[in-house]
């Protein structure tokens, strides 16, 4: 019922159809798990290289089995549950992190020939897509799952019954909820271009011949690069990866929301984190870089080229994530919130309105130059208004600054003390 | 098939609903509420209302209950309560009466309107009318043509509410800080 768009399930469903679906689920599951295993090794090896050290070398050739060894070790370690924890929620939380990470991968098209055909493969006389499911809500499933994933982090910190995990989880959930808005607005731009929520249709829409023979008609070009940058930044923050990894800032929070977790439960969080990195990269590839679409170079199996192109694009993003981790220092918490609320959300909202105006103009036959000029003028006006509002808010804050607000006798409270001093420093500098 | 999915989802919803009321710990209540909402999302999918199901998960499970949990955790009421104490006298019998009355009204309306206990499925001919259009497209068309004014009025209302909330917290808090920006 939810798979209505897949030609496999539009007809009568018998045993072969069920077997094909099971095969696809198994293949996607295996692809994801093997990718996670290799990704953890790859990240450690690459970070090692960038830090001028060796990285894992012992287990298997080039240390490639390191993840497997770590997994087995974690599995046999003692499983600690803190006395003051909420036992039920403590045990539930890792799964609330893991399951959404798996479910997002379901909507990612993994292969198929989009250049020649329409991404349909024919197996044992039955047409199907090379993705586990193509629900009508498509990419909304990704947004839904990323909002469900907040629960895992939040409840893990709360149920530990300990201070640092709670601080880490409050930080993490505030960060994830904040950046979801920017993420959603960037996705909206892509949906506007593709005219559909279905990920299959999005890839199909991007598989066109392109411009001048070299520029592909991918959404990264069609949406004008800005939504891609917003999505990549907001996605990194959503993953709690460096430079947005305040969630587990070791110097401040010990280990963040999973400080009290050990053994296999910790391994589940670790697994979910890397799985999310891979699914986020896969979603970026699907939304902005044409997913598995690409030319069929040689050979008879044309759908396999889709898998190859997809893997190549995916790998480029995974490399980028590791590179960023090795290069960029961590953000401060107020910088993180400023970036999300004051820059990314207005930028992506404005750009979305601009794209919508262009689409309407193209539809109605307006002069696109005039549309652009008017929209840019609107942006400048809105930018001035926003800057003015921020400036007046800062002035308004000073009225209640040091000495005001009745907190002058309050020398025991660190949080209230720090803020006015920060503001004085800001003005002096 | 449809009946099986309905029964499973209904069981999930009912267990969740009872859990919301019966849990000693407010955080557990919130978790049971999520279970109920997710079960209702499954029922929406069963009725081919895919968009409604997605919105149910994104907005209710993803945002509103998160807000509940934040409030519960930050106000420090997240410990087990004694359920045998009644804060408002006569609340429980009243709740039972109101609940039963509401159920009776809903059932009466359904039976009067459709002549059946569970409502009627749309006829096959009626379904053919929206062939080729997904429920997202149909909903979008109706909202942005027929009810465009209502949508815009709602948007303005929400903006006013957000601005109002920010103004209120600033005046009340005395000093501006990062906390004002999280609203």
């Amino acid at each position: 019922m939810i798979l209505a768009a897949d030609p496999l399930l539009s007809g009568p469903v018998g045993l072969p159809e069920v077997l094909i679906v099971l095969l696809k689920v198994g293949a996607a599951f295996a692809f994801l798990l093997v990718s996670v295993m290799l990704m953890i090794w790859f990240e450690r090896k690459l970070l090692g290289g960038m830090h001028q050290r060796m990285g894992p070398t012992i287990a298997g050739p080039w240390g490639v089995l390191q993840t497997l060894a770590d997994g087995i070790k974690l599995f046999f370690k003692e499983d600690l549950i803190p006395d003051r924890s909420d036992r039920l929620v403590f045990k539930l939380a890792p799964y609330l992190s893991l399951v959404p990470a798996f479910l997002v991968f379901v909507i990612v098209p993994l292969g198929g020939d989009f250049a020649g055909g329409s991404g349909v493969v024919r197996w044992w006389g039955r047409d199907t897509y090379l993705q586990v499911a193509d629900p009508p809500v498509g990419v909304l499933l990704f947004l839904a799952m990323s909002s469900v994933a907040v629960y895992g982090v939040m409840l893990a910190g709360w149920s530990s019954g300990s201070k640092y995990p709670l601080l880490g989880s409050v930080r993490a959930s505030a960060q994830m909820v904040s950046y979801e808005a920017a993420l959603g607005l960037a996705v909206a731009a892509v949906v506007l271009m593709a005219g559909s929520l279905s990920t299959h249709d999005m890839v199909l829409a991007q598989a066109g011949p392109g411009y001048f023979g070299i520029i592909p008609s991918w959404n990264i070009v069609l949406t004008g690069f800005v939504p891609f940058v917003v999505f990549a930044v907001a996605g990194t923050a959503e993953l709690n990866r460096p430079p947005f990894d305040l969630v587990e800032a070791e110097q401040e929070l010990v280990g963040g929301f999973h400080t009290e977790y050990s053994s296999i439960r910790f391994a589940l969080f670790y697994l979910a984190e890397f799985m999310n990195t891979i699914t986020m990269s896969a979603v970026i590839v699907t939304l902005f870089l044409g997913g598995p679409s690409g030319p069929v170079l040689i050979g008879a199996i044309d759908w396999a080229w889709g898998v190859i192109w997809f893997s190549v694009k995916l790998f480029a993003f995974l490399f980028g994530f590791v590179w960023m981790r090795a290069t960029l220092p961590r953000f401060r918490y107020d910088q993180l919130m400023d970036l999300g609320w004051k820059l990314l959300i207005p930028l992506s909202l404005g750009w979305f309105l601009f794209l919508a105006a262009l689409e309407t103009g193209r539809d109605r036959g307006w002069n696109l130059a005039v549309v652009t000029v008017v929209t840019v003028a609107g942006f400048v006006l809105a930018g001035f208004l926003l800057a003015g509002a921020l400036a007046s808010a800062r002035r308004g804050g000073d009225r209640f600054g040091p000495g005001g607000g009745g907190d002058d006798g309050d020398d025991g409270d660190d949080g209230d003390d720090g803020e006015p001093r920060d503001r004085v420093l800001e003005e002096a500098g | 098939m449809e009946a099986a999915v309905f029964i499973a989802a209904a069981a999930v919803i009912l267990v969740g609903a009872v859990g919301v009321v019966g849990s000693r710990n407010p955080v557990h209540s919130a978790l049971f509420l999520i279970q109920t909402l997710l079960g209702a999302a499954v029922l929406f999918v069963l009725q081919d209302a895919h968009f409604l199901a997605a919105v149910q998960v994104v907005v209710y499970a993803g945002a509103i209950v998160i807000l509940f949990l934040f409030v519960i955790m930050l106000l420090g009421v997240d410990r087990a309560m004694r359920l045998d104490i009644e804060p408002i006298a006569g609340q429980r019998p009243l709740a039972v009466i109101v609940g039963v009355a509401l159920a009776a009204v809903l059932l009466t309306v359904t039976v009067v309107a459709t002549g059946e206990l569970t409502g009627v499925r749309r006829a096959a001919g009626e379904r053919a009318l929206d062939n080729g259009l997904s429920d997202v497209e149909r909903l979008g068309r109706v909202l942005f043509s027929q009810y465009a004014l209502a949508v815009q009025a709602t948007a303005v209302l929400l903006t006013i509410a957000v601005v109002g909330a920010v103004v209120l917290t600033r005046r009340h808090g005395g000093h501006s800080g990062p906390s004002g920006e999280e609203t």
Side-chain angles (χ1 to χ4, degrees), chain A residues 1-2 86 89 136-137 140 144 147-148 150-151 154-155 158 170 173 197 338 342 393 397 400 407 416 419 423, chain B residues 25 27-28 31 34 46 48 50-51 54 57-58 61-62 65-66 69-70 73 78 136 170 174-176 178 181-182:
Chain A
M1 193 163 306
I2 196 164
D86 187 317
V89 181
V137 291
L140 282 184
S147 49
V148 170
V150 179
Y151 285 108
M154 192 174 190
L155 293 172
W158 172 79
V170 169
S173 31
L197 288 170
D338 277 1
K342 295 181 190 165
F400 305 104
D407 55 358
D416 276 358
E419 272 165 24
R423 204 172 301 113
Chain B
N25 190 320
V27 174
H28 292 180
L31 286 179
I34 302 166
L46 196 63
D48 283 340
H50 299 282
F51 185 70
V57 176
V58 174
V65 182
I66 292 266
L69 277 175
F70 258 123
M73 288 176 187
D78 53 343
V136 184
R170 278 183 171 262
H175 57 82
S176 73
E181 285 148 22
E182 280 165 28

Side-chain angles (χ1 to χ4, degrees), chain A residues 49-97:
Chain A
M50 287 174 176
H51 292 163
Q52 309 264 343
R53 42 185 189 83
M54 298 290 283
T57 51
I58 305 295
W62 307 290
V64 76
L65 296 178
Q66 183 65 41
T67 316
L68 207 62
D70 280 343
I72 294 169
K73 180 195 76 175
L74 278 172
F75 199 78
F76 287 109
K77 277 195 153 188
E78 186 187 355
D79 181 22
L80 297 167
I81 297 181
D83 263 352
R84 295 191 55 194
S85 68
D86 187 317
R87 299 180 78 88
L88 180 77
V89 181
F90 189 80
K91 286 176 184 168
L92 181 71
Y95 300 100
L96 286 180
S97 275

Side-chain angles (χ1 to χ4, degrees), chain A residues 44 183 262 277 284 334 336-337 375:
Chain A
R44 295 179 65 174
L183 209 62
S262 57
T277 309
I284 295 180
D334 59 325
L336 173 91
M337 283 297 162
T375 323

Side-chain angles (χ1 to χ4, degrees), chain B residues 42-96:
Chain B
V42 173
L43 286 187
F44 282 140
V45 172
L46 196 63
Q47 297 296 318
D48 283 340
H50 299 282
F51 185 70
L52 219 53
V55 168
Q56 169 98 349
V57 176
V58 174
V59 176
Y60 282 91
I64 292 180
V65 182
I66 292 266
L67 203 67
F68 285 1
L69 277 175
F70 258 123
V71 171
I72 292 170
M73 288 176 187
L74 295 183
L75 286 186
V77 290
D78 53 343
R79 41 192 105 76
M81 292 185 298
R82 291 185 56 188
L83 286 180
D84 47 338
I85 301 173
E86 239 181 315
I88 304 167
Q91 187 192 12
R92 279 189 196 151
L94 210 61
V96 171

Side-chain angles (χ1 to χ4, degrees), chain A residues 10 20 91 120 125 166 186 213 265 270 289 344 346 348 399 408:
Chain A
S10 53
I20 288 180
K91 286 176 184 168
V120 175
L166 184 64
R265 293 187 216 288
Y270 201 68
L289 292 174
L344 289 186
S348 50
R399 229 183 314 145
D408 20 10

